């Protein structure tokens, strides 16, 4: 008998379970600089503000680099660079010429996908298997998709003359830094606009790597400008002389931006929060539904605007589904985002961790029943166990507010009508999921739910050709597909 077989016998005899060996992704592909400037007019420049901040790895709390903080003067310079590039170069290029640049970004992103994925996981905390298999491929796909439209705008909007709007100020959050950059830049560039992009304070690094890539792709200077900083930088960008503002982030900040742009003539799209219902009917294939529920709420640590954070279960299958779900939670591996086995990585920031902890404490105080699997969390960094709440009623704060963490609030229903009523009982309207074997029921539900996206027997599926966006406090405007081009175009007869 071989050594391995003997060892296996001993382990099994002792009744223990095999552990996964660590499988960390190597980081030597990265060439991180100690400090980064602002990307303005095709060059990295020192901030006029003279200010810098440190960006860290949320899984270790170790610093990664010093980042320039753009003040109002820096923002104005970036907008000027974008204006000049728009008026003198980009607007007048043919669609086919613009497409070449956008394709080039897409191809280079694919070629350097591993480097971007590693950096995304280090700076943001998301598991490498997600940044590698979801964020980066989708980001490249968006550039490919919109490059294809650049020279076909007259077919996209027949009988209209489509002209670019001008300079777009684009503000993105920390949960999908590269993907959100792609969602914003790709349609804007394809339509002939120039851009000033502000990534989130906690996740600036992949946007800065994208700036390097854009330099290498030889885009005319000023077509894309990337300015780093915190909320004040974003607010200054909204106030600056841009023609359009595109924002993804919290509903509170979205409301502030709407007030700031009202009456200015600036075009605006807002992609804000959500509190999606993931609805499981008694006839659903339960094992598949469990996987969909897990993906719906634990993907990217639950830092997902369209996360299925409210699970609605039809009463006859409640016990069975919860048992299966609890069993599945015990198999989720929480830890090092760079480990290829990791399912749940680090919470993006201490501030976000505090918010999750506070809302979970409220859930317990309000009388919901909490379940968390046993798991050992790393000593340093920001972590939160996957969490289920049962006994939740619609008035509980954990059923109403966006927690933006790995926390699922579970409610029950008896009839499809009750499911629709509960699903729509939220100020948000971004997404929803339905699990049932009946096609007619899927259509019946989808017609009645006020949600921008309704997934059927799946969840969190994205495609560049498919529009995404919300109703009510989830914002307005669509990203993706033809719909995603429209906010970047002036259409005239
Ligand atoms: P924010 O809405 O504050 O951040 C989103 C982006 O807006 C960031 O780039 C941020 O900069 C910037 N920003 C902040 N304040 C302003 C302002 N006054 N004017 C213009 N831009 C501004 O989200 P948070 O990071 O604070 O997260 C808070 C909560 O928001 C989360 O707990 C979650 O519930 C929700 N959220 C929802 C997201 C979604 O996709 N729907 C995404 C992120 C958060 P900076 O990062 O530098 O502060």
């Amino acid at each position: 008998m071989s050594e391995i077989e003997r060892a296996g016998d001993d382990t099994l005899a002792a009744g223990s379970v095999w552990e996964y060996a660590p499988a960390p992704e190597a980081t030597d592909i990265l060439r991180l600089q100690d400090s980064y400037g602002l990307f303005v007019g095709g060059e990295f420049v020192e901030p006029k503000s003279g200010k810098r901040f440190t960006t860290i790895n949320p899984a270790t709390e170790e610093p990664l680099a010093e980042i320039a903080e753009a003040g109002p003067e820096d923002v104005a310079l970036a907008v000027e660079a974008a204006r000049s590039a728009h008026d003198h170069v980009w607007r007048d290029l043919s669609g086919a010429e613009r497409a070449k640049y956008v394709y080039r970004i897409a191809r280079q992103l694919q070629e350097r996908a591993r480097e971007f994925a590693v950096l995304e996981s280090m700076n943001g905390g998301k598991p490498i298997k997600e940044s590698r298999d979801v964020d980066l491929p989708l980001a490249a796909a968006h550039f490919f998709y919109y490059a294809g439209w650049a020279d076909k705008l007259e077919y996209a909007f027949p009988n209209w003359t489509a002209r670019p709007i001008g300079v777009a100020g684009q503000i993105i959050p920390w949960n999908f830094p590269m993907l959100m950059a792609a969602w914003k830049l790709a349609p804007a560039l394809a339509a002939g606009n120039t851009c000033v992009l502000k990534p989130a304070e906690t996740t600036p690094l992949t946007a800065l790597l994208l700036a390097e890539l854009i330099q290498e792709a030889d885009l005319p200077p000023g077509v894309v400008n990337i300015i780093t900083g915190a909320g004040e930088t974003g607010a200054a960008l909204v106030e600056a002389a841009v023609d359009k503002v595109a924002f993804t982030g919290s509903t509170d900040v979205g409301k502030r931006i709407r007030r700031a742009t009202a009456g200015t003539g600036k075009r605006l799209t807002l992609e804000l929060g959500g509190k999606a219902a993931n609805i499981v009917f008694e006839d659903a294939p339960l094992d598949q539904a469990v996987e969909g529920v897990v993906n719906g709420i634990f993907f990217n640590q639950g830092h997902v605007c369209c996360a299925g954070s409210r699970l609605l279960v039809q009463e006859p299958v409640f016990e069975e589904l919860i048992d299966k779900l609890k069993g599945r939670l015990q198999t989720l591996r929480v830890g090092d985002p760079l480990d290829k086995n990791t399912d749940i990585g680090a919470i993006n920031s201490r501030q976000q961790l505090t918010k999750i902890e506070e809302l979970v404490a409220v859930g317990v105080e309000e009388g919901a029943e909490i379940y968390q699997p046993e798991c050992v969390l790393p000593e340093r960094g920001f972590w939160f166990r996957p969490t289920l709440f049962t006994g939740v009623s619609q008035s509980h704060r954990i059923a109403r507010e966006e927690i933006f963490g790995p926390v699922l609030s579970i409610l029950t229903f008896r009839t499809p009508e009750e499911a629709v009523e509960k699903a729509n009982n939220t100020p948000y309207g971004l997404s929803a999921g339905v699990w049932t074997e009946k096609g007619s029921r899927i259509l019946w539900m989808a017609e009645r739910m006020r949600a921008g996206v309704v997934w059927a027997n799946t969840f969190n599926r994205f495609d560049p050709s498919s529009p995404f966006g919300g109703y009510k406090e989830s914002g307005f405007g669509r990203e993706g597909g033809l719909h995603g081009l429209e906010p970047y175009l002036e259409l005239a007869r």
Side-chain angles (χ1 to χ4, degrees):
M1 189 186 276
S2 77
E3 281 300 311
I4 293 172
E5 281 169 324
R6 236 180 272 124
D9 283 352
D10 289 349
T11 315
L12 291 177
S16 59
V17 190
W18 287 357
E19 290 295 329
Y20 279 79
E25 183 80 25
T27 58
D28 54 3
I29 194 168
L30 290 180
R31 301 274 172 274
L32 270 186
Q33 298 168 28
D34 293 338
S35 114
Y36 288 86
L38 306 168
F39 185 65
V40 176
E43 288 174 1
F44 282 93
V45 297
E46 288 301 304
K48 301 272 181 215
S49 72
K51 291 189 192 159
R52 294 191 165 273
F53 60 96
T54 306
T55 189
I56 65 164
N57 178 341
T60 61
E61 298 177 61
E62 274 163 17
L64 292 173
E66 293 293 306
I67 306 294
E69 185 181 320
E73 200 186 340
D74 298 299
V75 173
L77 286 172
V79 173
E80 267 171 42
R83 174 75 55 202
S84 168
H86 176 263
D87 291 355
H88 300 121
V89 187
W90 198 244
R91 168 180 70 177
D92 299 326
L93 281 188
S94 68
E97 281 301 310
R98 285 200 309 273
K100 279 191 207 166
Y101 289 105
V102 183
Y103 272 126
R104 206 179 287 164
I105 296 174
R107 281 199 310 272
Q108 293 194 5
L109 210 48
Q110 273 188 329
E111 278 166 23
R112 294 173 67 177
R114 193 166 87 78
E115 187 185 350
F116 274 90
V118 169
L119 189 57
E120 196 77 312
S121 285
M122 279 175 79
N123 200 198
K126 62 174 66 199
I128 186 73
K129 70 177 175 193
E130 292 179 7
S131 39
R132 182 194 62 200
D133 298 346
V134 181
D135 297 62
L136 262 298
L138 269 178
H142 273 79
F143 282 108
F144 275 121
Y145 174 77
Y146 280 110
W149 278 120
D151 63 345
K152 301 177 195 69
L153 296 178
E154 72 260 43
Y155 303 109
F157 303 100
N159 303 321
W160 292 90
T161 308
R163 291 202 190 86
I165 288 177
V167 176
Q170 304 177 314
I171 301 166
I172 55 172
W174 40 262
N175 50 345
F176 292 93
M178 264 311 294
L179 187 57
M180 289 302 106
W183 280 26
K184 297 281 180 277
L185 295 175
L189 296 178
N193 303 272
T194 55
C195 304
V196 180
L197 177 83
K198 191 202 90 64
E201 182 184 1
T202 56
T203 52
L205 286 177
T206 45
L208 292 165
L209 190 59
L210 180 65
E212 284 178 22
L213 184 149
I214 283 170
Q215 248 180 350
E216 285 163 24
D218 226 8
L219 245 76
V223 170
V224 173
N225 305 273
I226 298 183
I227 53 170
T228 41
E232 299 84 65
T233 307
L237 182 56
V238 171
E239 296 290 340
V242 294
D243 304 301
K244 183 202 156 49
V245 175
F247 172 79
T248 299
S250 62
T251 297
D252 279 352
V253 173
K255 285 180 182 172
R256 260 181 270 165
I257 293 178
R258 189 157 197 196
R259 278 193 288 271
T261 51
T264 63
K266 290 176 190 170
R267 299 266 290 262
L268 177 65
T269 41
L270 298 174
E271 200 265 276
L272 309 174
K275 193 75 191 175
N278 205 356
I279 304 167
V280 180
F281 283 92
E282 60 179 323
D283 64 349
L286 288 192
D287 290 320
Q288 270 169 264
V290 165
E291 291 310 308
V293 170
V294 166
N295 170 273
I297 184 62
F298 301 120
F299 172 59
N300 198 28
Q301 295 73 249
H303 301 328
V304 183
C305 46
C306 52
S309 53
R310 283 184 301 152
L311 174 63
L312 305 186
V313 189
Q314 200 162 18
E315 277 184 8
V317 289
F318 176 77
E319 300 289 343
E320 191 183 350
L321 188 83
I322 300 306
D323 282 351
K324 284 177 185 283
L325 203 49
K326 287 180 176 173
R328 183 67 178 88
L329 253 61
Q330 282 163 8
T331 68
L332 292 178
R333 291 177 293 273
V334 184
D336 182 4
L338 286 176
D339 192 311
K340 291 163 207 154
N341 295 320
T342 293
D343 297 304
I344 299 184
I347 298 301
N348 182 265
S349 64
R350 182 176 296 286
Q351 192 189 4
Q352 188 60 27
L353 179 59
T354 305
K355 180 183 166 184
I356 297 168
E357 286 170 345
E358 282 172 6
L359 272 166
V360 165
V362 168
V364 173
E365 269 165 39
E366 287 184 336
E369 195 178 313
I370 187 168
Y371 172 81
Q372 293 176 318
E374 290 290 320
C375 57
V376 183
L377 300 181
E379 279 174 16
R380 293 199 68 190
F382 314 132
W383 308 97
F384 202 83
R385 286 188 174 78
T387 301
L388 304 181
F389 273 112
T390 48
V392 178
S393 75
Q394 293 189 84
S395 59
H396 282 159
R397 277 182 65 193
I398 53 167
R400 289 185 289 121
E401 292 180 29
E402 188 177 44
I403 301 173
F404 226 61
V407 182
L408 181 64
S409 303
I410 306 173
L411 300 94
T412 58
F413 68 93
R414 292 180 189 172
T415 61
E417 290 78 8
E418 189 187 348
V420 169
E421 205 172 303
K422 285 186 167 167
N424 288 340
N425 184 11
T426 165
Y428 298 109
L430 194 54
S431 64
V434 182
W435 296 83
T436 172
E437 69 163 12
K438 288 196 180 64
S440 57
R441 178 173 286 156
I442 291 168
L443 296 174
W444 190 90
M445 294 290 293
E447 271 177 12
R448 286 161 180 77
M449 283 196 289
R450 293 292 286 167
V453 182
V454 179
W455 284 294
N457 294 327
T458 186
F459 210 91
N460 276 338
R461 301 278 291 197
F462 301 96
D463 188 281
S465 62
S466 175
F468 182 88
Y471 292 102
K472 302 193 279 185
E473 296 212 355
S474 293
F476 52 80
R478 294 291 179 266
E479 293 180 298
L482 270 184
H483 300 69
L485 275 175
E486 221 174 308
Y488 290 100
L489 287 169
E490 205 76 69
L491 295 175
R493 291 277 185 201

